[in-house]
Amino acid sequence: MSLRNARIQDGIAIAELHGSLKGPSQTDAEAGLQKILREGCSKLVLDLRRLDELDSACLSLLVSSGSTVGRGRMRLVVTSGMAWRILRLTRLDKILPVDDSVEAAIAALS
């Protein structure tokens, strides 16, 4: 998995996760997320629409990122497919809010 298109918009960190989470790529993604959060952002949008896999390591990354920014300060962008099913199955969609677009997620955090 890789972290791509990380940017800050209106004080909100926005990043896309691509591929699958295997070995060193998890560490790289975590480091990338921590770096953008250290830049003073207290809110985070993670776009998961291009993830190939959503396994326990990725779920752990999502939960730890949500804990880092605080409850209600992170939103996920998922439209359908495997990621959506896993979030619903694990009930993480109840604690990590899900939107269908980056724009909707930004609006919800503004």
Side-chain angles (χ1 to χ4, degrees), residues 2-82:
S2 64
L3 184 69
R4 295 188 188 166
N5 300 323
R7 63 192 186 282
I8 298 171
Q9 180 178 325
D10 300 324
I12 300 171
I14 304 162
E16 297 175 7
L17 296 176
H18 289 248
S20 61
L21 189 62
K22 303 282 184 202
S25 64
Q26 177 187 0
T27 304
D28 293 344
E30 286 179 271
L33 282 173
Q34 292 304 318
K35 180 182 176 197
I36 61 174
L37 291 173
R38 279 194 306 269
E39 292 178 8
C41 293
S42 61
K43 298 176 183 177
L44 175 64
V45 172
L46 288 178
D47 187 347
L48 309 181
R49 292 177 292 181
R50 291 175 183 83
L51 272 182
D52 296 332
E53 295 181 46
L54 187 60
D55 62 8
S56 60
C58 190
L59 293 174
S60 175
L61 175 63
L62 297 178
V63 171
S64 67
S65 297
S67 295
T68 298
V69 296
R71 188 164 178 90
R73 297 179 156 274
M74 181 175 95
R75 299 195 67 96
L76 305 176
V77 178
V78 182
T79 52
S80 64
M82 169 272 317

Side-chain angles (χ1 to χ4, degrees), residues 84-101:
W84 178 242
R85 287 190 303 274
I86 291 174
L87 289 172
R88 289 192 62 199
L89 177 69
T90 59
R91 301 185 60 87
L92 282 176
D93 62 322
K94 302 297 182 201
I95 60 169
L96 300 173
V98 176
D99 295 291
D100 60 3
S101 71

